[in-house]
Amino acid sequence: MAAADSPSAALRRRDLCSRGIRLAGKMRADVVDLLDAYVEQQGLDASASVAAVEGVPLAAVERWDEQTGTQRLLENLAAYRAFRALLAQMLEEQREQLGEADAGLGRALAAVLLQVSAFAYHLEELLRLESRGIPGEEGDGPPPPPRLSLFEQKLRGLGVLRELAQWAVRSVRDLRQLAKPSSATGAAPGLAESP
Amino acid sequence: LSLAAPPKEPVLMCRSNNYPKGFYCSWHLPTPTYIPNSFNISVIHGTKDMVCEKDAVPKNRCHIRYLQLFSTVKYKVTLTVTNALGKNFTTLTFDEFAIVKPDPPESVVAKPVPNNPRRLEVSWQNPSSWPDPESFPLKFFLRYRPLILDQWQHVELSDGTSHTITDAYAGKEYIIQVAAKDNDIGTWSDWSVAVHATPWTEEPKHLTTEAQITETTSASTSSFMAPPTTKICDKGAVVGSGAMAVCWTAGLVVAAYSVLFI
């Protein structure tokens, strides 16, 4: 593997970042459409405030501009892995609730889940390029929460999709920072640490 | 004689024209009270109180620095106005992305392209208030029309700060404006100051050594070549950034070429 700072690695990083930016942009557009459909079909109020839900990674960050490249990649990867699990759970709940009655929403959820999985893989590629190990997935996230009521499931779903839409925007910004020629991934936090 | 009055509900506006640094809020009263008023503004983000630092000028404005980015938690801004006869207030609630609106592009320049009667080259700069266009790139919307028509043509540009119009009507003076928007969030800026330009036209050969007609034009680009001895200003380029340049050209202008071809 080329050294992380070699010219070919720099080109590869720029290429991966560009593709990642396009992936994240498309993902965001689809999540926003899904959010609209979800709110309508679940009978929710689009302006309803949803309290932070346990297990949903928050996109909000302080001192974003001071983060190193490695921090950005690791935080993004942890987030999208969590969203992968959350969306899979939403899809399962959707199928249980509605069966075939709302196949359209189910298909849209599945499509976004696929994009989230693809983006997580893309982030892993970027981490490999930086010669960073990929954090393991075992033990990631808290144990499954107790079974929620139908309404609670709907609200959690709203929270998941809203936060995912924010993450998609943040990821575009993070990848732009990474793609800068002067960008360095910085000192990696110990990979034995949880991201 | 104006009667003093208690304040009506104030008009409050918040906007981020320098994302991701922060945002500002500005306010005014819809009708005068004719007595002194005091304004108090509070900004809450979730459960956190934020400080809105008042600007020295103008007095009815304050700005807030973002402590977090990419938050789904809304901001709540409450403005209270008080005078000797009463008080009133208004509240705005918004999320971080919704209020992002850059200032218009600056230094818009439009000029003809030599030997191309249907082209105009337009360039501009990012608004100087936008702090980091490399990390937070802007996209642009250009609109143009000949002065003689009402309908605008539109072009959206996802990168770069220049564009060549290739379908201009030959010989017609155009008006051109540009707007900007963050590539990912928020709303479009207001339109830039308008600039005028006319595509290049071929100089009529039989007039180059004879006529002594003076052309005057206000804020428009002439595509005619003035004799060097009488040239007063640069031909072709008009810069509009808060002001319209007036270009006077002493030289050859053929009245026939101002006939409109439609």
Side-chain angles (χ1 to χ4, degrees), chain B residues 33-97:
Chain B
T33 61
Y34 301 105
I35 54 174
N37 307 292
S38 68
F39 295 88
N40 183 52
I41 192 161
S42 78
V43 182
I44 299 171
H45 183 221
T47 55
K48 203 170 188 177
D49 281 323
M50 300 182 76
V51 175
C52 196
E53 296 175 30
K54 286 205 174 169
D55 292 347
V57 172
K59 284 186 181 176
N60 61 335
R61 197 162 92 171
C62 66
H63 60 271
I64 296 111
R65 286 186 177 278
Y66 281 125
L67 298 178
Q68 274 187 343
L69 292 181
F70 314 112
S71 174
T72 51
V73 175
K74 291 187 188 293
Y75 291 83
K76 184 177 170 184
V77 181
T78 302
L79 175 73
T80 306
V81 54
T82 309
N83 69 17
L85 297 179
K87 70 196 307 187
N88 214 322
F89 74 97
T90 189
T91 298
L92 267 187
T93 304
F94 52 84
D95 61 47
E96 179 187 317
F97 293 171

Side-chain angles (χ1 to χ4, degrees), chain A residues 44-69:
Chain A
L44 297 170
D45 178 357
S47 61
S49 289
V50 179
V53 179
E54 190 180 344
V56 178
L58 298 180
V61 59
E62 294 184 6
R63 298 195 177 89
W64 170 84
D65 52 335
E66 295 173 14
Q67 287 196 322
T68 65

Side-chain angles (χ1 to χ4, degrees), chain A residues 43-117:
Chain A
L44 297 170
D45 178 357
S47 61
S49 289
V50 179
V53 179
E54 190 180 344
V56 178
L58 298 180
V61 59
E62 294 184 6
R63 298 195 177 89
W64 170 84
D65 52 335
E66 295 173 14
Q67 287 196 322
T68 65
T70 301
Q71 281 173 313
R72 295 179 195 281
L73 286 173
L74 289 173
E75 287 188 19
N76 272 265
L77 181 59
Y80 286 95
R81 281 175 171 174
F83 280 119
R84 192 167 55 196
L86 288 163
L87 288 171
Q89 191 176 7
M90 280 176 69
L91 198 53
E92 188 59 38
E93 288 165 356
Q94 186 73 12
R95 287 176 181 150
E96 283 175 11
Q97 286 166 31
L98 295 164
E100 292 303 313
D102 198 358
L105 189 60
R107 276 196 298 272
L109 263 170
V112 166
L113 172 56
L114 201 57
Q115 289 179 68
V116 164
S117 299

Side-chain angles (χ1 to χ4, degrees), chain A residues 28 47 58-64 162-163 165-166 169-170 172-173 176-177 180-181, chain B residues 19-20 48 67-72 74 96-97 132 134-137 182-185:
Chain A
R28 189 212 176 188
S47 61
L58 298 180
V61 59
E62 294 184 6
R63 298 195 177 89
W64 170 84
R162 275 187 182 158
E163 214 57 52
Q166 296 295 97
V169 176
R170 177 176 163 181
V172 168
R173 313 293 198 187
R176 280 207 194 102
Q177 292 294 95
K180 284 181 178 177
Chain B
Y19 190 81
K48 203 170 188 177
L67 298 178
Q68 274 187 343
L69 292 181
F70 314 112
S71 174
T72 51
K74 291 187 188 293
E96 179 187 317
F97 293 171
D132 189 2
E134 196 184 345
S135 303
F136 296 84
D182 176 88
N183 212 51
D184 305 298
I185 61 174

